[in-house]
């Protein structure tokens, strides 16, 4: 196996040459969004400079080229996540829209008194759409608790099912704790009771191979911008057997077969769920993004990130008063922490002055913060281009700011 050449990879990311407050930028907010390599930006540029035309509408060559590029991406995504057919690949704006689509469309089948199961570690994107549905019908949300180490209480999970359970929706990887949930096992249990499963893959897709056939989930949503791709594109995978029966999510151009004022018929899958002009420029570039991840190798990326995670966590634990939230075995490279009683904003602002970008706050997971009994954390997360030297600089920075925060 070729060695992992992080310095060569870093040259693909001009932003990493930036300085902040006169210090080299150390970007550790990859969970929120990851940086985009030259190859993907060039694919965006190529689309604008050479192929821009609206898709699925023109007989002229340019439009047909743009359409072919969009549909080639769909096939590439299908292959990448091992879906059975391109009919199962719906382009969205991101994970959030994918989950809203399912809540709105699949949720239209729910009746008053029906129940869904979520987990205490969900991002707001997998909570609020279900609450909005709950404003239209009386839906009970049942919540799987989280153990102290950040793993789910699977006994409690199994105990939450009953004859009114209509769907389980949970994240593959927690954006706060880094926990990798046992999707296959949880899905098999739900299916044994005929309950379908939606999995939020926003934090898994950038860090591990996704095989929807193996996981057997019914819906899987993820975002390009967290996978080194352009913002504004996401994918919702859905099993054809469900998508076929589900009503459209939004109405407009592209999603119809025929429109009259008396009756409209809808387009076939996947277009039934893609109303209006899609973000065809970024969709085409997303193809380059999958090529890029494949060329580096998702397993090599995961191994590199894991090494950084292990080393950094061990060094952080040497700092007095350090609290790390999420210690599940096999977790992803996300470290949520608090230093003594210091406010997370203060820690984040001091790190920024040293050129280090970390996220602070509740990370769109306020119910999880409530469970942890805190208001927020500081979160450092790694991507394929982060280096050991950056991790060392991060640790040195924590030691440097500790006295300013009343620690050490
Ligand atoms: N789900 C999880 C677990 C996330 O971490 C995020 C974003 O941070 C989302 C959903 C929402 O993703 P997007 O904002 O790309 O729709």
């Amino acid at each position: 196996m070729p060695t992992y050449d992080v310095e060569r990879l870093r040259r693909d990311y001009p932003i990493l040459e930036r300085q902040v407050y006169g210090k080299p930028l150390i970007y550790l907010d990859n969970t929120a969004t990851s940086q985009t390599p030259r190859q993907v930006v060039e694919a965006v540029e190529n689309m604008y400079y050479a192929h821009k035309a609206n898709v699925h509408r023109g007989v002229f060559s340019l439009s047909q080229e743009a359409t072919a590029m969009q549909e080639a991406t769909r096939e590439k995504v299908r292959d990448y996540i091992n879906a059975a057919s391109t009919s199962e690949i719906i382009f969205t704006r991101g994970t959030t829209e994918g989950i809203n689509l399912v809540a709105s469309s699949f949720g239209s089948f729910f009746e008053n008194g029906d129940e869904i199961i979520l987990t205490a570690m969900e991002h707001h994107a997998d909570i609020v759409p279900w609450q909005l549905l709950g404003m239209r019908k009386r839906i009970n949300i049942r919540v799987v608790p989280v153990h102290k180490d950040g793993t789910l209480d699977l006994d409690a999970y199994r105990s939450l099912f009953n004859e009114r359970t209509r769907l389980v929706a949970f994240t593959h990887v927690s954006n706060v704790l880094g926990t990798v949930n046992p999707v296959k096992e949880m899905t098999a249990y739900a299916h044994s009771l005929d309950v379908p499963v939606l999995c939020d893959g926003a934090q898994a897709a950038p860090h591990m191979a996704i095989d929807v056939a193996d996981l057997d989930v019914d819906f899987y949503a993820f975002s390009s911008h967290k996978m080194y791709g352009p913002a504004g594109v996401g994918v919702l995978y859905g099993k054809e057997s469900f998508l076929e029966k589900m009503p459209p999510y939004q109405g407009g151009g592209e999603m119809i077969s025929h429109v009259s004022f008396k009756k409209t018929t809808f387009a076939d899958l996947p277009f039934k769920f893609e109303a209006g002009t899609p973000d065809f420029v970024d969709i085409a570039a997303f193809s380059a993004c999958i090529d890029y991840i494949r060329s580096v190798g998702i397993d090599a990326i995961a191994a590199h990130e894991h090494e950084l995670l292990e080393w950094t966590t061990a060094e952080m634990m040497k700092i007095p008063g350090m609290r790390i939230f999420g210690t599940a075995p096999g977790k992803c490279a996300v470290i949520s922490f608090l230093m003594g009683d210091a406010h997370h904003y203060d820690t984040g602002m001091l790190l920024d002055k040293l050129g280090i970008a970390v996220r602070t706050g509740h990370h769109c997971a306020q119910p999880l913060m409530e469970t942890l009994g805190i208001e927020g954390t500081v979160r450092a997360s790694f991507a394929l281009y982060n280096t050991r030297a950056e991790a060392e600089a991060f640790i040195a920075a924590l030691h440097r700011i500790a006295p300013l925060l009343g620690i050490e």
Side-chain angles (χ1 to χ4, degrees), residues 31-32 93-97 99 123 125-126 171 173-175 200 202-203 223 225-226 363-364 379:
T31 299
R93 279 195 304 119
T95 309
T96 303
E97 189 179 37
I99 299 174
H123 186 280
D126 193 33
T171 192
V173 173
S174 163
N175 66 317
D200 171 350
Q203 295 301 342
S223 305
H225 71 96
K226 294 183 194 290
H363 316 300
C364 297
R379 184 184 68 188

Side-chain angles (χ1 to χ4, degrees), residues 25-236:
L25 167 69
I26 297 180
Y27 186 78
L28 299 180
D29 192 20
N30 296 289
T31 299
T33 197
S34 50
Q35 300 299 342
T36 299
R38 215 182 278 281
Q39 291 85 335
V40 176
V41 177
E42 281 168 6
V44 172
E45 192 182 72
N46 176 45
M47 195 67 190
Y48 276 119
Y49 288 166
H51 304 284
K52 189 179 176 201
N54 209 333
V55 289
H56 289 295
R57 286 189 189 162
V59 290
F60 56 96
S61 302
L62 216 55
S63 173
Q64 295 200 358
E65 278 166 30
T67 304
M69 289 168 86
Q70 168 166 302
E71 295 312 310
T73 306
R74 203 187 303 274
E75 167 53 25
K76 196 166 283 180
V77 172
R78 182 210 65 71
D79 181 54
Y80 189 66
I81 65 169
N82 196 25
S85 151
T86 49
S87 300
E88 302 183 320
I89 307 297
I90 298 162
F91 288 121
T92 62
R93 279 195 304 119
T95 309
T96 303
E97 189 179 37
I99 299 174
N100 273 278
L101 189 161
V102 178
S104 164
S105 173
F106 189 68
S108 68
F109 300 141
F110 297 175
E111 288 170 6
N112 284 335
D114 280 351
E115 299 192 353
I116 62 166
I117 297 175
L118 306 180
T119 84
M121 65 170 76
E122 293 316 303
H123 186 280
H124 296 166
D126 193 33
I127 300 174
V128 185
W130 306 109
Q131 291 174 329
L132 292 179
L133 178 65
M135 288 164 73
R136 287 184 271 138
K137 324 182 175 189
R138 201 165 42 75
I139 305 294
N140 297 325
I141 296 177
R142 313 199 74 192
V143 182
V144 186
V146 178
H147 291 304
K148 252 198 153 49
D149 67 350
T151 54
L152 286 176
D153 182 339
L154 294 176
D155 289 331
Y157 168 67
R158 285 184 281 268
S159 74
L160 292 178
F161 286 81
N162 62 40
E163 67 289 348
R164 297 308 302 262
T165 311
R166 292 290 166 264
L167 183 83
V168 182
F170 59 87
T171 192
H172 195 158
V173 173
S174 163
N175 66 317
V176 176
L177 307 166
T179 312
V180 182
N181 288 319
V183 177
K184 203 170 159 175
E185 182 186 337
M186 290 170 74
T187 302
Y189 187 78
H191 285 176
S192 72
L193 300 170
D194 275 338
V195 176
V197 172
L198 176 147
C199 188
D200 171 350
Q203 295 301 342
H207 305 290
M208 61 184 74
I210 305 299
D211 183 333
V212 290
D214 182 53
L215 296 174
D216 200 26
V217 289
D218 302 289
F219 301 101
Y220 196 92
F222 54 100
S223 305
S224 143
H225 71 96
K226 294 183 194 290
M227 299 171 71
Y228 311 99
V233 179
V235 171
L236 174 70

